[in-house]
């Protein structure tokens, strides 16, 4: 037997008083060496419920002996229940041991440690220890730390019912009852249970009027909170007004009335009744009806050929008005004017003459029409008479120079005017195929090639008569706009996002995540680990848009505060939120909120929609926006095109930060003219970088560091003026005393590269020194002054590198290297803070310490609120990558054990 085993048994025998002499002789024979014991069953954690002991069991093979050790002391041999069997496959001895741990044993333990037990198994090869099993006394207190409260809410309002279960071991699980029936959020998406056991009703319905109870349970007991009665009321709304009724008086002054009812909707569950009267009444005047009356009969007419004369009268004395009756009776009367002596006879000769005259007039009209038609036919066909020719000559004659309209002389792409096209030539003389005429510039896919058309083939020698004049104009042109030299990303399958290498980045990311960043712009995209499913890889991109199609429009008094950024691929399914960082130029250091900030996104059809207004978040908000002094961080689950806009929040006008940059020619000035340019851009790294790139291409140089300027929403313009010019050597070509940039050009934020130019002229080429002041200020607002002293004959140094505004990060980082916080530390922090704490020392306190607590319900709906908070912390500290702020927050929370892990693992 190994000496180490003998020594262990001797020590056990001395402490417990057990004689292990027989154990030694029987348990460790001098047979061939056995393997170390391997546990097939290890003891598991247990809870003492009331006075029922906990049974701990373990099983190992091969094992000659198995004993329990609890809190460092061996359990008496008599307390073990041992079973021995033989493994039929391996032939090894299998031992199983049970012990019982009573409530008294657990209560007698004093100290900081919990009561624990573990198994120790022996074989001839040595000993093996199992994992520890902890035994706790289970309990559940009666009083809830917080019970739900009944309330009355309006229809479609968001409702929060809070519940904090009683303290207990193990922690209690919570269910919600609605009228004594368990609520299952998976069956009804209108309910949401947070990690803190609160119940959220997203939009209150009438069917949600019920009694709600919070139920807590564990191994010991089941507790019910007091019942909270939720009443969903509906305030009444007026229906539409009815049509006005007829006037009450049929003649003269009366009343008209119309009504409405409080039924749209009708008040329910104590909702307020409609305010205002249910009817309206106005005065009306009805004109009295006037019946018509006949005038006197007129004089009789002369006696006619039919031996009658006529008389008439009119209904005008008075005429009928306002619905009055019309006159009754006939308007005309007739009677015989010869007292019956006149007879109506017709001479037969006169009738024949009349009919003959009518027939003659008709025949004469037909002859005249035929003559006119013949003359017109001869005149129209006179100039169309031609000889009989074959088909080829006919086509050639159709392009006679006399009928050919020469092309414009200033278009080099047109055929020469002296060379009319010959359609009888073969198709091989053309380098490119001809296409049917009158096609638009964008109708390339509808063009019909004519090089193989029968029109160009030799026609059969038919004799035809040409009666139609043909005139053809041929133009060959190239549309330069169809040629693109830039890489492109297809965005959403609808419109194309052009990728400019200086304003975009991309990387292939997988389940380990990463970070995309456009250097020196402040724009980045954090993709946490686990966002992309395991085994999948996506080519992700980040672009600052400059195309007019993606320009963010400002509505009313709104102003664009950030660059418009596209991240994609759009439509990509994310397993957890990503964080998009955008720089902004809103001035936020005032004690009162002066801004109403809104995040907007562009749809696939190109329209812009509001995503979120800061301060108006709800459970339906798809993202969370964290504001900093110069950046905003958007926690979102949908990739696309985003931008930040804002407008003043009365009564105080808001201010946006601008940058003023002065540029002059870099090369020595060889002429008498000298030009200075002052740019007014938004105070974001991207805007200044765009100006520097433009001036570098123009040969300009930055004369001073850009100066900041607060531009107020006061509808006053930006005024620029130049002063203290040495007039003996220089003069300004500016006719006015100053220049102005209109207020709306600056405030809208949609116009880039705004600038003013000052043109100066020196007296002679010998003058080289220039000193002056340029004043830039908003009318009735703040301003800045540039002091210029330069020698225009010297070559100025090139522009300094584009300021980054912080640490210059790589454009893309993939995997763990993209994150400051190691994965092991992140997992331990999440495990420590995700579970709700009775003292509130959980993820909510971390959010408060990091100033991420403007709308906690967004984080409460996530599987791991702490993980989302840490992702946001990573995005906010990407420049400094400092763990001090996080460590300070954990220290204030009393999470010293997590700080030890951070200091240990973080140094590694």
């Amino acid at each position: 037997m190994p000496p180490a085993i003998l020594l262990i048994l001797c020590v056990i025998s001395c402490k417990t008083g057990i004689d292990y002499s027989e154990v030694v002789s029987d348990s460790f024979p001098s047979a061939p060496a056995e393997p170390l014991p391997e546990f097939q069953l290890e003891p598991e954690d247990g809870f003492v419920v009331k006075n029922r002991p906990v049974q701990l069991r373990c099983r190992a093979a091969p094992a000659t002996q198995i004993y329990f050790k609890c809190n460092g002391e061996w359990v008496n041999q008599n307390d073990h229940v041992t079973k021995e069997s033989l493994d039929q496959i391996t032939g090894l001895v299998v031992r199983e041991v049970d012990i019982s741990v009573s409530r008294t044993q657990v209560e007698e333990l004093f100290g900081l440690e919990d009561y624990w037990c573990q198994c120790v198994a022996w074989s001839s090869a040595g000993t093996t220890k199992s994992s520890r099993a902890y035994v706790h006394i289970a309990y559940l207190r009666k009083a809830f730390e917080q019970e739900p409260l009944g309330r009355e809410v309006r229809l479609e309002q968001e409702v929060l019912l809070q519940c904090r279960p009683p303290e207990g071991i193990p922690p209690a699980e919570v269910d919600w009852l609605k009228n004594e029936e368990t609520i299952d959020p998976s069956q009804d998406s209108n309910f949401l249970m947070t990690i803190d056991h609160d119940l959220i009703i997203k939009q209150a319905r009438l069917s949600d009027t019920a009694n709600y109870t919070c139920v807590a349970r564990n191994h010991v007991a089941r507790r019910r909170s007091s019942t909270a009665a939720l009443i969903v009321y509906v305030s009444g709304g007026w229906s539409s007004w009815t049509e006005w009724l007829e006037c009450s008086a049929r003649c003269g002054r009366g009343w008209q009335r119309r009504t409405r009812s409080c039924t749209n909707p009708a008040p329910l569950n104590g909702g307020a009744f409609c305010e205002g009267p249910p009817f309206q009444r106005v005065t009306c005047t009805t004109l009295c009806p006037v019946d018509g009356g006949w005038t006197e009969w007129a004089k009789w007419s002369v006696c006619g050929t039919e031996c009658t004369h006529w008389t008439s009268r009119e209904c005008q004395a008075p005429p009928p008005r306002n619905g009055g009756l019309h006159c009754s009776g006939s308007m005309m009367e007739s009677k015989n004017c010869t007292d019956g002596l006149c007879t109506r006879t017709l001479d037969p000769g006169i009738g024949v003459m009349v009919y003959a005259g009518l027939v003659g007039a008709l025949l004469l009209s037909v002859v005249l029409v035929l003559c006119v038609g013949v003359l017109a036919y001869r005149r129209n066909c006179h100039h169309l008479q031609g000889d009989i020719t074959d088909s080829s000559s006919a086509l050639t004659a159709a392009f006679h120079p006399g009928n050919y309209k020469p092309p414009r002389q200033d278009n080099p792409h047109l055929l020469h005017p002296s060379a009319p096209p010959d359609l009888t030539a073969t198709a091989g003389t053309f380098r490119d195929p001809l296409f049917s005429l009158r096609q638009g510039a964008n109708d390339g896919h509808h063009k019909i090639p004519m090089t193989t058309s029968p029109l160009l083939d030799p026609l059969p020698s038919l004799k035809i008569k040409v009666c139609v004049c043909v005139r053809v104009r041929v133009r060959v042109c190239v549309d330069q706009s169809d040629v693109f030299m830039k890489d492109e990303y297809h965005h959403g399958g609808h419109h194309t996002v052009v990728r400019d290498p200086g304003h975009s980045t991309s990387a292939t990311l997988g389940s380990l995540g990463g970070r995309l960043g456009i250097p020196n712009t402040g724009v980045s995209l954090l993709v946490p680990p686990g966002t992309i499913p395991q085994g999948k890889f996506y080519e992700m991109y980040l672009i600052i848009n400059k195309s007019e199609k993606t320009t963010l429009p400002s509505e009313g008094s709104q102003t664009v505060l950030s660059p418009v950024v596209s991240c994609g691929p759009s439509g990509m399914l994310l397993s957890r939120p990503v964080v998009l960082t955008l720089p902004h130029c809103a001035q936020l250091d005032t004690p009162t909120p002066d801004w109403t900030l809104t995040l907007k996104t562009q749809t696939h059809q190109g329209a812009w929609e509001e995503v979120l207004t800061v301060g108006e978040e709800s459970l339906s908000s798809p993202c969370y926006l964290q504001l900093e002094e110069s950046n905003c961080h958007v926690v979102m689950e949908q990739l696309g095109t985003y931008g930040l806009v804002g407008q003043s929040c009365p009564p105080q006008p808001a201010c946006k930060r601008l940058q003023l940059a002065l540029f002059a020619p870099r090369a020595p000035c060889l002429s008498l003219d000298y030009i200075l340019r002052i740019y007014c851009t938004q105070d974001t790294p991207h805007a200044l970088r765009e100006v520097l790139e433009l001036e570098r291409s123009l040969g300009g140089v930055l004369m001073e560091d850009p100066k900041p300027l607060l531009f107020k929403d006061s509808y006053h313009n930006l005024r620029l003026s130049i002063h203290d010019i040495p007039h003996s050597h220089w003069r300004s070509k500016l006719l006015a005393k100053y220049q102005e940039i209109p207020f709306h050009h600056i405030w809208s934020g949609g116009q880039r590269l705004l600038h003013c130019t000052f043109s100066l002229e020196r007296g002679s080429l010998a003058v080289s020194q220039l000193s002056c002041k340029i004043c830039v200020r908003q009318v009735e607002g703040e301003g800045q002054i540039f002091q210029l002293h330069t020698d225009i004959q010297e070559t100025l140094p090139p522009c300094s590198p584009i300021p980054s505004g912080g640490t210059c990060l790589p454009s893309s980082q993939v995997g763990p290297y993209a994150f400051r916080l190691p994965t092991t530390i992140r997992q331990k922090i999440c495990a420590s803070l995700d579970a709700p704490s009775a003292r509130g020392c959980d993820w909510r306190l971390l959010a408060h310490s990091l100033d991420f607590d403007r709308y906690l319900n967004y984080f409460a709906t996530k599987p791991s609120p702490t993980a989302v908070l840490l992702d946001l912390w990573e995005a906010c500290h990407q420049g400094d990558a400092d763990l001090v702020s996080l460590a300070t927050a954990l220290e204030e929370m009393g999470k010293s054990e997590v700080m030890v892990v951070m200091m240990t693992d973080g140094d590694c």
Side-chain angles (χ1 to χ4, degrees), residues 59-88:
R59 183 171 57 246
T64 56
Q65 292 293 337
I66 300 180
Y67 289 98
F68 270 95
K69 177 187 288 187
C70 295
N71 287 90
E73 297 183 359
W74 293 99
V75 178
N76 195 300
Q77 184 178 10
N78 297 330
D79 295 334
H80 293 72
V81 177
T82 306
K83 297 180 182 179
E84 182 178 339
S85 61
L86 190 65
D87 193 327
Q88 299 297 331

Side-chain angles (χ1 to χ4, degrees), residues 199-219:
L199 178 66
I200 296 178
I201 304 177
K202 299 178 182 178
Q203 289 184 330
R205 304 161 297 191
L206 289 176
S207 59
D208 295 328
T209 299
N211 294 324
Y212 292 85
T213 308
C214 179
V215 179
R217 54 183 170 81
N218 66 359
H219 294 81

Side-chain angles (χ1 to χ4, degrees), residues 552-613:
L552 182 58
S554 56
E555 302 174 356
S557 60
Q558 286 186 346
T559 176
V560 180
L561 297 173
S562 75
V564 177
V565 175
S566 295
C567 53
S570 63
M572 172 182 170
L573 296 178
L574 305 178
S575 300
R576 58 183 297 181
V578 298
V579 185
L580 175 65
T581 299
L582 301 175
H584 68 80
C585 60
Q587 181 69 11
L588 301 177
D589 60 354
T590 55
T592 58
D594 299 335
W595 285 99
T596 298
L597 301 175
T598 303
L599 182 70
K600 289 191 174 184
T601 183
Q602 190 177 31
T603 64
H604 295 318
Q605 290 75 24
W608 286 91
E609 295 179 350
E610 291 188 6
V611 179
L612 170 73
T613 298

Side-chain angles (χ1 to χ4, degrees), residues 445-675:
H445 60 286
H446 297 301
K447 295 180 180 179
I448 305 174
M450 297 177 62
T451 55
T452 58
S453 173
L455 179 64
L456 302 183
D457 294 338
L459 299 177
S461 57
L462 300 177
K463 299 298 181 177
I464 62 175
K465 189 171 184 178
V466 180
C467 293
V468 179
C469 182
V470 180
R471 179 177 297 171
V472 178
R473 297 178 64 189
V474 179
R475 186 174 71 175
V476 180
C477 60
V478 178
D479 190 357
Q480 298 295 339
S481 63
D482 293 337
V483 182
F484 294 96
M485 300 303 295
K486 297 181 180 180
D487 298 335
E488 297 179 349
Y489 284 116
H490 293 285
H491 175 58
H494 294 269
H495 60 272
T496 302
V497 178
V498 181
R499 181 191 177 196
D500 187 347
H503 298 83
S504 63
T505 185
S506 63
T508 302
L509 302 182
S511 61
L512 296 179
R515 189 196 305 266
L516 299 180
I518 304 177
N520 302 321
T521 63
V523 177
S524 65
L525 179 67
L526 182 74
V527 183
T531 303
I532 301 175
Q534 187 75 26
K536 292 184 178 294
F537 294 88
Y538 290 97
E539 179 73 17
M540 303 191 69
Y541 61 84
L542 189 64
I543 301 173
I544 299 178
N545 293 290
K546 295 190 293 183
S547 171
E548 293 183 358
K549 294 182 179 179
T550 55
T551 300
L552 182 58
S554 56
E555 302 174 356
S557 60
Q558 286 186 346
T559 176
V560 180
L561 297 173
S562 75
V564 177
V565 175
S566 295
C567 53
S570 63
M572 172 182 170
L573 296 178
L574 305 178
S575 300
R576 58 183 297 181
V578 298
V579 185
L580 175 65
T581 299
L582 301 175
H584 68 80
C585 60
Q587 181 69 11
L588 301 177
D589 60 354
T590 55
T592 58
D594 299 335
W595 285 99
T596 298
L597 301 175
T598 303
L599 182 70
K600 289 191 174 184
T601 183
Q602 190 177 31
T603 64
H604 295 318
Q605 290 75 24
W608 286 91
E609 295 179 350
E610 291 188 6
V611 179
L612 170 73
T613 298
V614 177
E616 299 179 6
E617 296 90 343
S618 64
L619 286 176
S620 60
S621 301
C623 59
Y624 175 85
L625 195 145
Q626 178 67 23
L627 281 172
E628 293 182 341
E629 181 180 357
S630 58
N631 293 301
C632 65
H633 308 277
V634 185
V635 185
M636 59 185 182
E637 300 181 34
Q638 182 66 45
L639 302 180
T641 301
Y642 293 90
L644 185 69
V645 300
Q647 62 183 4
S648 294
C649 182
Q652 295 295 329
C655 294
K656 64 186 297 186
R657 303 188 315 274
L658 303 180
Q659 289 187 105
L660 305 174
L662 174 63
F663 289 87
R666 177 172 177 263
C669 182
L670 303 179
S671 66
L672 296 178
D673 295 332
Y674 194 72
I675 295 177

Side-chain angles (χ1 to χ4, degrees), residues 12 120 203 250 303 339 348 405 408 436 454 460 565 654 662 766 771:
I12 294 174
V120 181
Q203 289 184 330
R250 297 183 56 84
C303 192
D339 295 330
K405 185 176 180 180
R408 293 175 55 184
S436 59
V565 175
L662 174 63
S771 61

Side-chain angles (χ1 to χ4, degrees), residues 80 232 276 300 306 700 739 767 824 857:
H80 293 72
V232 182
W300 290 97
E306 297 182 355
Q739 303 182 65
V767 177
T824 55
N857 281 345

